[in-house]
């Protein structure tokens, strides 16, 4: 089979090499999957550069999200040969390979109605957004949800999940193309942060009350300004720091406005409460079948162009998810 490998630390286009290797052997508790689609993430770039918190030994294969067909199972497996699944491969044997062997605990069934491309693009972003909004943010029907970076992976999922929960959704994005995407996803109000002041507009749209829940995967200045338009008893969800700077949270301001700054570390939640992750997966499939969510895919790239696809992702000019087809 073909597999991408990082043989030295550096930029993806410099250090990724495609290799012909043997298909993985099946170990106890694993299933063998023929990969049909792979989703790329920004942390795949950081892994190549040696800048991610996890630093697997060289050589390793990146890739944390795949979908495909089960081709072999062990004894007493929960899965059957021929079953359609999505999965989270484990480093150093990541998902940028034509075949992967994955622990059953990291494999999830998908319906016939879901394409492999959508399945690969759904796992991390929709799990993260669902956990953020429902488990950490306690979002309720009728509340106002402000979603930053609404055209991104987490943001696009949050817009759809917020709408499905009955919230009024305000989204921010940069530029006409990305703001249009937010409108198409169902956001009630869309703000172009490049030309508009989201604090002013959120206050206007809420009669001065502010947003009940703010979904912030950006951090930095976006976090600072979000504190100015959060409602009394609001929940400001800290999901990431795509903006680069890790902001401070003045406790006196949180006290005066009675809001909560809430950390959202889905990866640790996933490891500590795997059964709850499966429950979220079932809920997401139900929402998908009802047509309330649909993974947003920017582009399908051929397997041979993984380095170029990661360079494109690193440019931050994409939206949704980049998906690779073997």
């Amino acid at each position: 089979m073909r597999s991408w490998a990082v043989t030295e630390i550096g930029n993806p286009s410099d250090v990724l090499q495609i290799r012909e290797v043997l298909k993985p052997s099946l170990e106890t508790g694993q299933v063998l999957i023929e990969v049909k689609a792979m989703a790329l993430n920004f942390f795949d770039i950081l892994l190549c550069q040696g800048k991610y918190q996890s630093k697997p030994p060289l050589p390793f294969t990146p890739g944390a999200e795949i979908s495909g067909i089960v081709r072999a199972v062990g004894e007493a497996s929960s899965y059957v040969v021929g079953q359609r699944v999505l999965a989270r491969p484990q480093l150093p044997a990541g998902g940028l390979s034509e075949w992967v062997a994955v622990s059953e605990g990291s494999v999830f069934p998908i319906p016939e109605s879901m394409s492999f491309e959508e399945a690969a693009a759904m796992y991390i972003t929709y799990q993260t957004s669902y956990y953020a909004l429902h488990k950490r943010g306690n979002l309720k029907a009728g509340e106002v949800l402000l979603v930053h970076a609404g055209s991104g992976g987490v943001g696009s999922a949050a817009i759809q999940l917020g709408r499905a929960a009955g919230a009024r959704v305000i989204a921010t994005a940069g530029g006409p193309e990305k703001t249009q995407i937010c409108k198409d996803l169902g956001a009630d109000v869309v703000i172009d942060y490049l030309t508009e002041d989201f604090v002013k507009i959120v206050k206007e749209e809420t009669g001065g009350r502010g947003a009940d829940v703010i979904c912030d995967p950006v951090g930095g200045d976006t976090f600072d300004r979000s504190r100015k338009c959060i409602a009394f008893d609001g929940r400001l969800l800290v999901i990431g720091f795509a903006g680069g700077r890790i902001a401070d949270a003045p406790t006196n301001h949180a006290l005066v406005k009675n809001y909560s700054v809430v950390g959202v570390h889905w990866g640790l939640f996933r490891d500590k409460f795997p059964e709850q992750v499966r429950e979220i997966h079932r809920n997401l499939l139900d929402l998908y079948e009802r047509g309330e969510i649909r993974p947003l895919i920017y582009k399908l790239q051929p397997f041979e162009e993984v380095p170029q696809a990661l360079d494109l992702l690193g440019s931050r000019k994409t939206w949704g998810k980049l998906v690779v087809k073997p």
Side-chain angles (χ1 to χ4, degrees), residues 260-323:
S260 302
V261 177
V262 185
V264 181
H265 187 176
W266 173 77
L268 189 58
F269 166 76
R270 175 200 65 210
D271 295 340
K272 285 182 172 292
F273 303 102
E275 286 309 310
Q276 291 191 43
V277 171
R278 292 202 170 273
E279 178 188 355
I280 291 174
H281 179 71
R282 291 189 291 269
N283 292 341
L284 289 172
L285 292 188
D286 182 56
L287 289 168
Y288 178 87
E289 294 280 31
R290 295 189 339 231
E292 298 197 57
I293 63 172
R294 186 74 60 184
L296 179 65
I297 297 174
Y298 175 76
K299 194 175 184 181
L300 298 177
Q301 295 276 104
F303 186 77
E304 297 79 13
E305 296 180 10
V306 163
Q308 296 93 316
L310 286 172
D311 285 345
L312 179 60
L313 183 61
S315 73
R316 298 191 182 275
K317 296 178 181 177
T318 64
W319 36 259
K321 297 279 284 190
L322 267 172
V323 176

Side-chain angles (χ1 to χ4, degrees), residues 6-9 47-48 55-60 92:
V6 176
T7 56
E8 58 182 318
I9 297 302
L47 278 166
C48 293
K55 294 179 172 56
L58 297 171
F60 67 87

Side-chain angles (χ1 to χ4, degrees), residues 19-324:
R19 294 177 165 185
E20 285 284 345
V21 296
L22 295 174
K23 290 179 186 175
S25 56
L26 198 62
E27 298 181 4
T28 303
Q30 289 186 328
V31 297
L32 181 65
I33 301 171
E34 181 184 2
V35 179
K36 295 296 183 180
M38 316 150 184
L40 301 178
N41 290 279
F42 191 76
F43 59 75
D44 291 321
I45 300 172
L46 299 179
L47 278 166
C48 293
Q49 296 171 337
K51 296 178 181 178
Y52 197 57
Q53 56 259 40
S54 173
K55 294 179 172 56
L58 297 171
F60 67 87
T61 297
E65 296 179 283
I66 64 101
S67 63
I69 301 172
V70 174
R71 293 305 187 194
V73 300
E75 291 185 13
S77 175
S78 302
Y79 296 91
V80 296
V81 173
Q83 191 168 0
R84 305 169 85 254
V85 295
L86 63 79
R88 180 178 63 90
Q90 299 291 318
L91 294 171
L96 294 181
S97 298
E98 292 177 317
W99 293 72
V100 295
V102 185
S103 166
E104 284 204 10
S106 298
V107 180
F108 300 81
I110 59 173
E112 290 291 335
S113 59
M114 180 178 287
S115 71
F116 288 115
E117 295 82 9
E118 290 173 325
M122 189 180 81
Y123 180 59
I124 291 177
T125 53
Y126 281 83
Q127 280 273 347
T128 299
S129 292
Y130 191 102
Y131 174 60
L133 298 182
H134 291 286
K135 300 283 188 179
R136 303 296 289 148
N138 297 313
L139 181 67
K140 302 177 184 68
E143 290 191 316
V144 174
L145 169 66
L146 172 60
V147 178
H148 290 303
S151 66
V154 169
S156 62
I159 290 173
Q160 296 175 72
L161 290 170
R163 290 277 292 173
R168 182 167 185 246
V169 180
I170 302 174
T172 70
E177 182 183 30
K178 292 184 177 181
T179 53
Q180 184 60 49
I181 288 165
C182 295
K183 293 174 185 175
D184 295 341
L185 289 169
D188 298 286
V189 178
V190 181
I191 302 165
D192 185 344
Y193 66 78
L194 296 177
T195 59
E196 299 176 292
D197 180 356
F198 75 79
V199 174
K200 176 175 178 288
I201 295 174
V202 169
K203 287 182 176 180
E204 290 173 350
E205 290 288 339
T206 60
R209 199 174 64 84
D212 299 289
V213 177
I214 300 179
C215 176
D216 180 18
V218 181
D221 294 345
T222 299
F223 176 89
D224 293 340
R225 293 186 57 71
S226 292
R227 294 190 294 104
K228 299 179 183 298
C229 62
I230 192 165
F232 183 85
D233 263 350
R235 289 83 77 198
L236 206 173
L237 306 177
V238 180
I239 299 175
F241 311 104
R245 180 174 67 85
I246 298 175
D248 294 320
T251 52
N252 64 324
H253 193 257
L255 173 65
V256 170
K257 292 191 72 174
N258 209 54
Y259 65 85
S260 302
V261 177
V262 185
V264 181
H265 187 176
W266 173 77
L268 189 58
F269 166 76
R270 175 200 65 210
D271 295 340
K272 285 182 172 292
F273 303 102
E275 286 309 310
Q276 291 191 43
V277 171
R278 292 202 170 273
E279 178 188 355
I280 291 174
H281 179 71
R282 291 189 291 269
N283 292 341
L284 289 172
L285 292 188
D286 182 56
L287 289 168
Y288 178 87
E289 294 280 31
R290 295 189 339 231
E292 298 197 57
I293 63 172
R294 186 74 60 184
L296 179 65
I297 297 174
Y298 175 76
K299 194 175 184 181
L300 298 177
Q301 295 276 104
F303 186 77
E304 297 79 13
E305 296 180 10
V306 163
Q308 296 93 316
L310 286 172
D311 285 345
L312 179 60
L313 183 61
S315 73
R316 298 191 182 275
K317 296 178 181 177
T318 64
W319 36 259
K321 297 279 284 190
L322 267 172
V323 176
V324 173

